[in-house]
Structure formats: C-alpha cells, structure tokens
Amino acid sequence: MSSEIAFLLASVFGLCIMIAIVGNVLVCVAVISERRLKRNKNNYFIVSLAVSDLCVASVVMSFAMANDIQRKWTFGSTFCRLWISFDVMCSTASILNLCVISFDRYKHVQDAMYYDLWMTRRKALTLITCVWLLSAIISFLPIQLGLHETNNVMNVSSKQEEECIIQLNLTYAIVSSAVSFYLPCLVMLVLYFKLFLFARRHAVNIKSMQPKNKPLPVMTCLSSVRKLFRTSEHKAAKTLGIITGVFLLCWLPFFVINPLAAYNPHLIPSDAFIITTWLGYANSCLNPIIYTIFNTEFRQAFRKILCCYDKVSFTCFQDHQKSRYEMKHIDNQPTESIACKSSFDIPRTSHMCIDIGCV
C-alpha cells in the first residue's frame, strides 16, 4: 500500500473514530447533566446504545485502523483474540440496543397512557442487561473457547506478516449473524412498520372527525389539526425511513459477506471485507446523530453543552423566546380560532404521531 493511500485511509478512519467518540460522549453527558433527559426511561436505552458505540470507536475501531492500514498485527496473538471478542460483542450490543429502542418506541406509542407504569426502571435496566449479556455470550464465550475456529485463526499474508483476521466456521458464522443482525433486523422492520401504520391511522382518524355542518370556528380548528397531523405523518415517515435505511445500509453488506466468507474464504477479497466492516463501524458514528438530533430536548441539551451556557441564563433565554412566540401567535390569531382550542379536545393518543417523529 502506497503512503498516499495509507494517509487517506488513516484520515478517513481517524475522522470516523473522532466523530463516534465525540458524538456518543456528548449523548452520555447530555443525559447525565440534564434532569429532564435523566428522568425519561427511554433515554436509558439511548445511553446504552451510546456506550456500545463508544466501545466500538475506542476499543475496536482504533486497533482496526492500525491492523487494516499496516496489514500487520503488532499487539500479539493473545490480544488479537481478545480484540476480536470485543469487536463481536460491542457491534452486537449496538445492534441489539437499536432493536430494544424500536421495541420501547412501539410500546410507548401503542399504550401511551400506561407506558410509565409498564416500563419501570427495573424493566429498562433488565432489558439493557439482557442486551449486554447476550452480546457477551455470542462473542467472548465461543471465541475464547475456540468454537468459532476453522483450521487457522491467523491469516498470514504474502509478506509473511501476521494479520489479526478472524476466520469463522460456517456454523458459528450463521448463528452469530442470525443473533447479531438478522433477527434484530426483522424485529426492527416489523415494529417500525407498525409504528408508521399507527401514525397514518391516527392521521386518518383526525381527518374523519371533521363534521359537515359545524360553525366556522370549529371548521377552522379541525383544518389546523389535520394540517398538523399531515406534517407529523410526514416527519414520522421520514424519521423511520432514515433510521431503517441507515441501519440496513451500514450493516447488511457485512452480514451478507460474513457467512459467504466462512463458506469459502477465497470467495470474498480482503479489501471488500475491510470496506464492509468499516461500513458497519460507521453506524456507530451515525447513531448519536439519528437517535438524538430529531429530539428537541437533546438538541437543547447539546446546544447548552457546546455553547457553555449558564443554566439560569439558558433557561431564561428559552422562556423569553417561548413567551415571545406565544404572544405573537395569540396576537395574529383570530378570536374564534382561540375559542376553538378550548372547545375542541384533542385525544391524548393523537400526539403519538409527533412522538414517533421525535420532534
């Protein structure tokens, strides 16, 4: 490999590592420092996802960069086996956390009235513990016992330089791929599809609430509500599409190649395996953006942390902006439209479309 290509790869890989570390640390700090975020049990799963992605960036990606650029493992065979175990565990934990987040959102939307009673702190911590325990079982246990091995664990290059490259037997490749990706992916797709249908159904219900013979104020109010839900439905579809699309784009190529490489090691070029591996790693850079940037509370917390605002002055600024908006909104609104708000009661569940869209 030429020095120019090595420098380019080092720059790209280093940028991915930096974005992943900064983004996921920012998520953890935001939840720990902001009381509103800390009280929300949904954010327990976001923090667990951030921790898994932080482990991928700091423990896995850093050594993968050295291994893939130098095409030589200089840290010893014992640490090679340990690093591979961390690679499988942290990547699996990241994917399983995404699956748990989709389940949590589905339960939140399906039964919003009783969600806080159902999703207790103990249940949330139990789910997170199961994620990490299953990830450790599928990684450390078989790899440390050598159950994943073919004839050779270490791959020797043409220059007789050892690289830390895992070579799986077909059984372990299929089982680990199913547990780490295919089953969680199926669950995510089903749940997010149900969430989208739920959002559309509520939008249709609101639209059907318009009566034919009603006074003008009520008609105006119903029109505003339908417009709100059309916007919410669009945001929900956009957000769910981004979540699903990015996840599949990052991880599907690797988990298609992984069983094929186990079936026939010479079938997949080493460069293709490296590209798909780093494409999966890139998901750890994108997760803190996707799962927080669409949330208003996280955006405010990030702004507060990055701009080093004083807590009191920031709160006053937010209250001032909110007051200005409300006064302007009331001044520009017809009297009958204001009265309409009190006469028209929007059901609690109608807010779920907005909750799906994370706005």
Side-chain angles (χ1 to χ4, degrees):
M1 182 184 298
S2 64
S3 58
E4 292 81 5
I5 296 178
F7 177 77
L8 179 61
L9 290 177
S11 301
V12 174
F13 294 163
L15 182 62
C16 288
I17 295 172
M18 185 181 302
I19 292 175
I21 291 177
V22 172
N24 288 291
V25 167
L26 198 59
V27 170
C28 295
V29 171
V31 175
I32 293 173
S33 60
E34 286 295 319
R35 187 177 302 175
R36 288 186 303 173
L37 295 175
K38 191 186 299 185
R39 285 200 304 260
N40 193 343
K41 290 184 286 291
N42 308 66
N43 294 328
Y44 292 3
F45 307 114
I46 298 293
V47 171
S48 179
L49 174 64
V51 170
S52 63
D53 288 334
L54 189 59
C55 291
V56 171
S58 58
V59 179
V60 179
M61 294 169 67
S62 54
F63 291 99
M65 179 175 68
N67 185 47
D68 293 337
I69 292 177
Q70 296 179 0
R71 299 298 174 98
K72 180 181 180 180
W73 183 257
T74 59
F75 306 102
S77 59
T78 302
F79 187 71
C80 171
R81 187 186 293 267
L82 186 63
W83 173 70
I84 289 174
S85 301
F86 270 107
D87 186 353
V88 177
M89 184 189 74
C90 297
S91 300
T92 301
S94 178
I95 296 174
L96 292 180
N97 275 310
L98 296 178
C99 182
V100 171
I101 289 173
S102 66
F103 171 75
D104 176 71
R105 288 185 173 181
Y106 176 74
K107 291 295 294 184
H108 192 201
V109 172
Q110 182 193 40
D111 198 1
M113 297 289 290
Y114 300 100
Y115 170 81
D116 289 330
L117 297 176
W118 186 86
M119 182 59 75
T120 61
R121 182 178 180 182
R122 178 178 294 182
K123 283 185 179 179
L125 295 178
T126 300
L127 284 173
I128 293 172
T129 302
C130 291
V131 164
W132 286 95
L133 187 60
L134 181 59
S135 302
I137 291 174
I138 200 68
S139 58
F140 272 88
L141 186 62
I143 291 176
Q144 295 304 318
L145 294 178
L147 302 179
H148 70 293
E149 295 178 356
T150 55
N151 293 329
N152 295 312
V153 179
M154 306 297 294
N155 182 31
V156 182
S157 66
S158 58
K159 296 181 180 181
Q160 302 300 317
E161 295 175 344
E162 292 181 341
E163 291 184 66
C164 185
I165 298 178
I166 186 172
Q167 292 183 341
L168 307 177
N169 58 57
L170 186 59
T171 302
Y172 179 77
I174 293 175
V175 172
S176 63
S177 296
V179 174
S180 299
F181 177 75
Y182 288 107
L183 292 178
C185 179
L186 180 62
V187 172
M188 287 179 61
L189 291 177
V190 171
L191 292 179
Y192 280 137
F193 182 69
K194 287 187 175 182
L195 283 175
F196 176 68
L197 294 180
F198 190 90
R200 291 196 63 181
R201 186 165 63 251
H202 273 274
V204 171
N205 290 341
I206 292 298
K207 185 177 180 180
S208 64
M209 290 173 63
Q210 179 182 1
K212 295 183 178 180
N213 299 317
K214 283 288 181 180
L216 181 60
V218 177
M219 296 285 289
T220 305
C221 185
L222 286 170
S223 178
S224 301
V225 172
R226 291 201 314 274
K227 183 177 180 180
L228 170 65
F229 275 85
R230 281 197 300 269
T231 304
S232 300
E233 180 186 358
H234 175 72
K235 288 184 178 180
K238 181 179 178 180
T239 303
L240 297 179
I242 292 174
I243 290 172
T244 308
V246 169
F247 173 72
L248 291 176
L249 178 65
C250 290
W251 281 116
L252 184 60
F254 173 81
F255 283 100
V256 169
I257 285 179
N258 193 41
L260 294 177
Y263 175 74
N264 185 356
H266 303 289
L267 190 63
I268 306 298
S270 60
D271 290 340
F273 195 85
I274 292 174
I275 292 173
T276 55
T277 301
W278 277 92
L279 192 60
Y281 292 159
N283 191 238
S284 297
C285 309
L286 300 174
N287 283 337
I289 300 175
I290 295 173
Y291 285 87
T292 60
I293 202 66
F294 295 110
N295 188 293
T296 305
E297 292 183 352
F298 269 105
R299 289 202 303 267
Q300 292 176 353
F302 291 161
R303 191 182 301 116
K304 183 177 178 180
I305 294 170
L306 295 175
C307 298
C308 300
Y309 283 148
D310 178 73
K311 187 173 183 179
V312 176
S313 62
F314 181 81
T315 304
C316 293
F317 172 77
Q318 292 294 100
D319 292 341
H320 177 65
Q321 291 294 98
K322 183 178 179 181
S323 300
R324 287 183 59 188
Y325 172 79
E326 289 177 350
M327 292 301 297
K328 182 178 178 182
H329 184 67
I330 292 174
D331 291 341
N332 295 335
Q333 194 172 23
T335 305
E336 59 272 14
S337 178
I338 299 175
C340 165
K341 286 187 176 181
S342 60
S343 63
F344 183 75
D345 186 21
I346 302 176
R348 178 185 176 92
T349 54
S350 65
H351 293 277
M352 292 304 101
C353 295
I354 301 177
D355 204 30
I356 296 171
C358 305
V359 295

